[in-house]
Amino acid sequence: MTSSTGRKVTANIALTLDGHYNGPAGPADFGAIAPYVTTDVARDHMSRIWENATTAVLGRTNAEGFLGFWPSVAGDENADPRDRGYAKWLVDTEKVVLSTTLAEAPWERARVVNAPAADVVTGLKATGEGEILVNSSASVIKPLLAADLIDRLYLLICPEITGGGGRLFDDGLPATKWTLTRQETGSLGETALIYDRVR
């Protein structure tokens, strides 16, 4: 068994009321989520997700999508300071991109790993310090939930029902118990939640 340093594994994702992280039109269908991610509650929530994290774990789609957006925010003096803080952290931190198709990392300070998410995260837990943040990548969060490797969930619940799309909590997950550590509701009805795994 691999030894562990005690590093926490955290995961961040936005979901609709019916539990979807995108809409029925596919991975780029964020119409039910986009209006809520720039509110004060959402931005404050985003500031909390990375404050103790030293490693970001991403799936390929998010790694490539984030690369097209966040580096420019890091250098934009007119951007919201919370967005800039997150962007600078993401650019500067260690990034592990899980992919079966990428040949080289799309970011600086990033490496591509072609291995099961649970194995990769277990390996990360064995070395280093600071939290390991799985950043909005459902393709990584789902197998980690199945392996019961996530210690904290940062959820932004958006008050819309899409009726279809990718679902985070699939049937067949192991039964686990969580405690609500923080809850904050914004003016648009979005709710930022932090749940910690009870072990």
Side-chain angles (χ1 to χ4, degrees):
M1 184 171 169
T2 307
S3 64
S4 176
T5 58
R7 298 182 77 182
K8 271 189 175 179
V9 180
T10 67
N12 165 58
I13 199 161
L15 299 173
T16 59
L17 280 182
D18 53 344
H20 296 113
Y21 52 84
N22 57 35
D29 183 358
F30 294 116
I33 290 171
Y36 306 98
V37 297
T38 55
T39 66
D40 279 336
V41 163
R43 283 185 159 126
D44 289 344
H45 185 63
M46 188 169 69
S47 295
R48 285 187 285 273
I49 72 171
W50 61 268
E51 62 187 357
N52 297 312
T54 55
T55 304
V57 179
L58 299 157
R60 176 191 59 81
T61 302
N62 271 6
E64 292 179 331
F66 287 4
L67 180 61
F69 181 75
W70 287 110
S72 62
V73 176
D76 182 358
E77 293 182 6
N78 296 315
D80 186 287
R82 294 163 293 187
D83 292 353
R84 282 194 80 193
Y86 169 75
K88 287 178 177 180
W89 170 82
L90 189 59
V91 168
D92 292 340
T93 202
E94 173 194 26
K95 291 168 286 292
V96 179
V97 180
L98 299 185
S99 175
T100 58
T101 56
L102 283 178
E104 57 186 50
W107 291 65
E108 290 182 18
R109 287 176 287 286
R111 59 190 169 98
V112 175
V113 180
N114 181 357
D119 293 349
V120 173
V121 167
T122 299
L124 289 170
K125 281 172 65 79
T127 60
E129 55 187 29
E131 292 178 357
I132 300 160
L133 171 64
V134 185
N135 204 350
S136 298
S137 296
S139 64
V140 182
I141 297 171
K142 288 163 83 162
L144 295 182
L145 284 169
D148 193 17
L149 283 170
I150 294 180
D151 302 301
R152 170 171 280 187
L153 280 169
Y154 293 94
L155 302 177
L156 181 72
I157 307 300
C158 305
E160 298 197 20
I161 291 173
T162 59
R167 187 180 295 282
L168 184 65
F169 300 109
D170 292 326
D171 286 348
L173 288 174
T176 52
K177 185 174 182 180
W178 301 76
T179 186
L180 181 62
T181 305
R182 186 181 180 104
Q183 176 180 352
E184 192 174 358
T185 302
S187 59
L188 300 179
E190 76 285 5
T191 303
L193 302 168
I194 301 176
Y195 281 101
D196 284 326
R197 175 77 172 91
V198 177
R199 299 196 184 276

